Amino acid sequence: MKNHEKPLEQATFAPESGDMPKEEFRRHGHALVDWIADYFENIEQFPVLSNNAPNDLKNALPTSAPEKGDDFDEVLKDVEKLILPAVTHWNHPNFHGLFSTSTSSVGIFGEMLSAAFDMKAMLWRTSPASTELEPVVLDWLRQMMNLSENFKGVIYDTASISTLHAIAMAREKLNLGIRENGMSGRADLPLLRVYCSEQTHNSIDKAVILLGLGQKSLVKIPTNNRFEMDVEKLREAIQDDKSKGHLPFCIIPTIGTTSSSSVDNVERVADICERNNLWLHVDTAYAGSAAIVPEFQHYFKGINRADSIVTNPHKWLFTPFDLSVLYVKDLDLLKQTFSLVAEYLKVSETVTNQMDYGIQLGRRFRSLKLWFVMRYFGQQGLIERIREHCRLARLFANWVDDSEDFEMLAPVPFALVCFRACPKNVEDLDSLNEKIMNEINASGEAYLSHTKLNGKFTLRLSVGSIRVEERHLRKVWDLLNKFNREIR
Ligand code: PLP
């Protein structure tokens, strides 16, 4: 059968028009590593938040690609001229907003090499290195976090995706034939219920939306005055739902919530899960890294009773974004939930194929950068860094406590401080604190973000950069006091 197109004309381009010539690659590569080294050395000279206005970068760029290729030196010049001003410097030691996350230099080497290999981990044969390094590295991390050996880990990009997979597993375990028949148009299905606290990250809302459970399936349990899930209210909500014929199937407590880093009582939630045969998924995306520090182990009590756990080394283990870990006890159930093997992916060997454990077909070789980080810093090095961040956060909290003009608004279990200015004779403290935050952020010296706790505008200072030192916190404290005096 001859149904292919006629051969193309003889190629008009020269044979060297493949990749960048190797000498050029070497030259630019060395220059780029030098550029990154200089960037880290001088990072404090940059404003933490980009000073660009929306669309500044977009408007400065041509609307179509160059007809002929540019010299890479020109491209790098444009990085300095156009891209750099549009960068918010997450690696700046005074980035204290949201959660302060940063990459180590050695983590960048991991990204470089995995880009060089450009493996798509789907089948073992397409990516033996990724398939085999990932479980080893995740077992090292499991041991460091003191998790039971029943947990096996899988790497995804973000916690949102890890949690989506966990809830999908919990739903599959119900054996309601949802994988085959879906949920729509089925009168035989009760309303499925997932429980979390009011303080939970909205990745859980998104997961229930995406899984077709609907937002009304997610029950948000009120929290106590420490922003921890009220376990009595959880118990009542489950009973109430059962009495209405709904089907509770999953509870998601958080260790280290996003707003205030509060810690739900996983031990008590686990009791409820066991009594009611519910899936227990623990979200410790932020704080999970602190489980490697012996004196913080008590915050993780009960975690080994979970069915699944999410933790993000890209948040607080000095690993470049992105790398989230889902630990599950029943790896076979994860496979049962997601595996779907097309003819062109069938293989004869009996091996682990990473495509079977999630939505994606191919995955990036992410374990390499975590392996680099663990090898380079060692367990002790990582523990010391996280311990130091927690020390610095407590030190800052002490300054707040000792000041007449500021007050703490939440406990500090890890390295996040929630506080506000509260000078006497100022009525609208929300507005004052918002102004102080905006002034600090506009100064370029530091970045703070906010939340609302008990209805109060709350400043959040997160300590997590691998480059942060006590002097950086002192600088923020001085700025806070300065603007507090000036704005009043
Ligand atoms: N869970 C918690 C507790 C978080 O703090 C966050 C993000 O800050 C997430 C989940 C979502 O993380 P990701 O951006 O990796 O999806």
Side-chain angles (χ1 to χ4, degrees):
M1 190 167 59
K2 208 172 170 199
N3 59 359
H4 51 76
E5 308 249 329
K6 279 204 212 129
L8 293 172
E9 297 289 309
Q10 174 83 37
T12 51
F13 49 79
E16 66 267 20
S17 58
D19 197 5
M20 178 185 278
K22 46 186 184 301
E23 278 317 312
E24 213 181 302
F25 177 75
R26 208 176 284 282
R27 181 167 66 81
H28 291 308
H30 288 153
L32 194 59
V33 170
D34 277 341
W35 192 98
I36 297 171
D38 288 345
Y39 170 64
F40 283 147
E41 214 171 300
N42 300 316
I43 197 159
E44 290 183 49
Q45 295 173 8
F46 295 103
V48 184
L49 290 177
S50 164
N51 282 331
N52 269 21
N55 292 322
D56 276 358
L57 174 60
K58 191 175 150 216
N59 293 338
L61 293 168
T63 51
S64 54
E67 193 60 36
K68 296 224 155 116
D70 285 325
D71 189 287
F72 193 69
D73 283 321
E74 293 305 309
V75 181
L76 270 186
K77 275 189 205 148
D78 277 349
V79 168
E80 298 213 349
K81 194 171 125 208
L82 302 173
I83 303 292
L84 204 51
V87 170
T88 281
H89 299 278
W90 285 71
N91 280 308
H92 193 300
N94 277 116
F95 186 113
H96 302 292
L98 310 170
F99 281 121
S100 168
T101 72
S102 63
T103 182
S104 54
S105 308
V106 76
I108 294 173
F109 291 153
E111 285 288 25
M112 281 169 74
L113 257 192
S114 87
F117 295 137
D118 194 29
M119 264 191 301
K120 288 85 189 174
M122 43 180 92
L123 301 170
W124 176 87
R125 64 169 66 155
T126 63
S127 48
S130 178
T131 313
E132 295 186 23
L133 185 65
E134 182 170 311
V136 172
V137 170
L138 296 189
D139 201 56
W140 289 6
L141 180 62
R142 176 195 68 71
Q143 292 171 48
M144 286 169 66
M145 290 176 65
N146 272 299
L147 298 178
S148 118
E149 60 187 5
N150 297 333
F151 284 110
K152 305 278 176 259
V154 178
I155 295 177
Y156 300 109
D157 52 0
T158 56
S160 306
I161 296 298
S162 296
T163 289
L164 176 75
H165 284 78
I167 301 175
M169 285 175 80
R171 191 181 67 173
E172 179 66 15
K173 196 173 176 212
L174 291 174
N175 244 332
L176 294 172
I178 292 173
R179 193 185 139 122
E180 290 75 23
N181 304 317
M183 301 180 74
S184 65
R186 285 182 63 179
D188 62 320
L189 287 184
L191 179 63
L192 272 54
R193 292 290 223 186
V194 179
Y195 305 83
C196 61
S197 91
E198 284 168 353
Q199 294 287 322
T200 308
H201 191 267
N202 71 9
S203 51
I204 298 172
D205 303 61
K206 289 192 181 177
V208 298
I209 293 169
L210 207 59
L211 287 166
L213 296 162
Q215 273 180 294
K216 68 175 178 184
S217 70
L218 186 59
V219 185
K220 302 230 172 141
I221 305 296
T223 52
N224 62 20
N225 60 0
R226 297 170 60 88
F227 313 105
E228 303 155 350
M229 188 191 288
D230 182 329
V231 181
E232 265 324 299
K233 295 230 162 59
L234 170 69
R235 206 187 305 275
E236 284 165 22
I238 291 172
Q239 284 320 319
D240 190 41
D241 279 346
K242 281 186 163 177
S243 70
K244 290 179 180 144
H246 302 333
L247 182 58
F249 77 102
C250 178
I251 310 180
I252 308 182
T254 304
I255 300 178
T257 57
T258 313
S259 268
S260 72
S261 79
S262 61
V263 177
D264 291 336
N265 189 327
V266 174
E267 192 86 294
R268 289 187 62 204
V269 174
D271 289 341
I272 296 179
C273 285
E274 276 163 24
R275 213 165 298 131
N276 293 276
N277 199 19
L278 308 182
W279 185 277
L280 175 57
H281 174 61
V282 177
D283 180 352
T284 188
Y286 157 63
S289 300
I292 69 173
V293 184
E295 58 269 30
F296 295 134
Q297 268 299 305
H298 62 102
Y299 292 122
F300 297 86
K301 235 172 132 202
I303 197 169
N304 279 320
R305 294 166 70 186
D307 295 286
S308 55
I309 301 165
V310 57
T311 182
N312 276 5
H314 74 223
K315 277 195 165 49
W316 202 9
L317 217 52
F318 320 117
T319 306
F321 189 71
D322 47 15
L323 197 161
S324 172
V325 180
L326 178 68
Y327 282 110
V328 297
K329 285 203 176 129
D330 191 347
L331 207 54
D332 290 339
L333 177 62
L334 182 59
K335 188 171 175 183
Q336 180 188 317
T337 310
F338 287 102
S339 180
L340 202 61
V341 185
E343 183 56 38
Y344 46 83
L345 293 167
K346 286 187 180 149
V347 288
S348 47
E349 63 259 25
T350 311
V351 286
T352 295
N353 295 314
Q354 288 191 298
M355 65 174 189
D356 286 332
Y357 298 90
I359 298 168
Q360 290 173 297
L361 170 58
R363 292 155 195 255
R364 302 176 57 220
F365 187 8
R366 293 192 181 88
S367 56
L368 190 66
K369 57 188 171 184
L370 184 54
W371 188 54
F372 278 15
V373 167
M374 286 176 157
R375 294 276 309 265
Y376 183 75
F377 293 110
Q379 299 191 35
Q380 210 47 48
L382 293 169
I383 290 171
E384 278 161 13
R385 281 165 178 80
I386 291 178
R387 186 181 274 148
E388 173 64 1
H389 292 168
C390 297
R391 182 191 77 80
L392 290 175
R394 281 161 179 68
L395 180 71
F396 190 92
N398 281 339
W399 297 340
V400 173
D401 272 336
D402 291 345
S403 162
E404 295 225 311
D405 283 346
F406 289 86
E407 65 178 352
M408 293 292 294
L409 294 180
V412 184
F414 303 107
L416 174 71
V417 190
C418 293
F419 65 105
R420 69 172 179 173
C422 57
K424 292 186 188 71
N425 306 324
V426 175
E427 262 183 29
D428 190 349
L429 290 178
D430 281 2
S431 154
L432 171 72
N433 280 281
E434 190 166 3
K435 283 186 190 144
I436 292 175
M437 182 184 79
N438 289 341
E439 288 292 340
I440 289 181
N441 292 345
S443 75
E445 297 287 318
Y447 171 40
L448 298 182
S449 63
H450 81 282
T451 188
K452 275 225 160 139
L453 294 177
N454 289 328
K456 296 173 185 156
F457 189 97
T458 303
L459 299 173
R460 290 170 76 268
L461 175 124
S462 166
V463 185
S465 168
I466 197 162
R467 292 165 194 85
V468 70
E469 297 168 24
E470 197 170 313
R471 68 187 168 91
H472 298 112
L473 296 194
R474 179 54 71 182
K475 179 166 92 179
V476 180
W477 185 237
D478 290 346
L479 285 167
L480 282 160
N481 281 285
K482 171 175 170 282
F483 288 122
N484 176 45
R485 276 191 307 271
E486 284 178 10
I487 291 169
R488 264 189 275 164

